Amino acid sequence: FFFFFFFIVLVLSKGELEKMLKVFAVVAALLVASSSAAPLWNVIAKGLLTTDLGISFTNTSNGYTAGDANGSGPAILKSTDGGHTWNQCTANFGIDMLLLAADASDSTIIVSSIFGELYSDDDGASFHQSVGGGLSQSVRHIGVDGDGGKKFGCAGTYMGKQGVILTTDGGKLFTKYTTDALNTLA
């Protein structure tokens, strides 16, 4: 590591070197701070999904996660014991579906994917394709406690434009709000 650092120092100009040293100092300080901090997370379940991109708990017991089931396709899992054990929910979609995020409130679960959004209004017993969405990269419950868990928002690409979509009926129908200002050429 130090040889690599010394080599970089020889190649950089004085201004670039000063910038790099500042970054190095910040990283070193963060490493020291994080190594002395007490851990806040405990692993209570392992090996659930190969890719686990979204997790949401509706209370201290009931939670959902979405991802890829170790090469056998996408999966939505449910826990009823605070995350200690997980069981696969019934969901009918193809093996090429890429699930990106999940959020839940009350009995409603919304899962975003590259082919649109999925919703469940029966605690994960069944999932259905939403109408009006697109390629959502995230999903969040944006209602307040006691609203019945029906208001969610997603961010992503809709009809080729960046924006957000909102639902007030638990994911059955989404309304798009897009803008050209957020488009990129990449």
Side-chain angles (χ1 to χ4, degrees):
F1 172 74
F2 289 108
F3 174 75
F4 178 71
F5 180 73
F6 180 72
F7 177 75
I8 290 175
V9 169
L10 291 177
V11 176
L12 297 177
S13 69
K14 182 179 177 184
E16 291 171 327
L17 177 60
E18 288 174 357
K19 288 179 188 176
M20 190 179 104
L21 288 175
K22 287 178 185 177
V23 169
F24 182 74
V26 169
V27 169
L30 288 173
L31 287 173
V32 169
S34 66
S35 67
S36 63
L40 301 175
W41 292 86
N42 294 319
V43 175
I44 58 173
K46 291 182 181 181
L48 300 175
L49 298 170
T50 306
T51 329
D52 189 6
L53 299 174
I55 188 166
S56 180
F57 278 80
T58 58
N59 56 41
T60 58
S61 298
N62 295 325
Y64 301 88
T65 185
D68 182 56
N70 300 311
S72 63
I76 301 169
L77 305 181
K78 178 180 181 178
S79 175
T80 57
D81 61 4
H84 293 276
T85 60
W86 296 84
N87 295 303
Q88 190 162 342
C89 294
T90 304
N92 297 319
F93 41 77
I95 195 165
D96 57 350
M97 178 76 80
L98 177 60
L99 304 178
L100 299 174
D103 202 3
S105 179
D106 295 337
S107 63
T108 303
I109 302 101
I110 307 288
V111 177
S112 64
S113 79
I114 62 167
F115 295 124
E117 297 69 37
L118 303 167
Y119 73 92
S120 172
D121 55 7
D122 56 10
D123 283 321
S126 62
F127 282 84
H128 313 280
Q129 189 76 40
S130 298
V131 175
L135 171 58
S136 291
Q137 299 153 356
S138 64
V139 58
R140 295 289 179 266
H141 175 248
I142 55 176
V144 294
D145 290 338
D147 75 347
K150 302 296 182 197
K151 190 172 184 181
F152 289 82
C154 301
T157 304
Y158 311 100
M159 303 289 288
K161 296 181 179 183
Q162 296 292 316
V164 297
I165 56 174
L166 298 175
T167 182
T168 57
D169 63 2
K172 294 174 184 69
L173 178 65
F174 280 92
T175 302
K176 295 177 186 74
Y177 299 92
T178 61
T179 179
D180 290 327
L182 298 176
N183 286 347
T184 63
L185 298 176

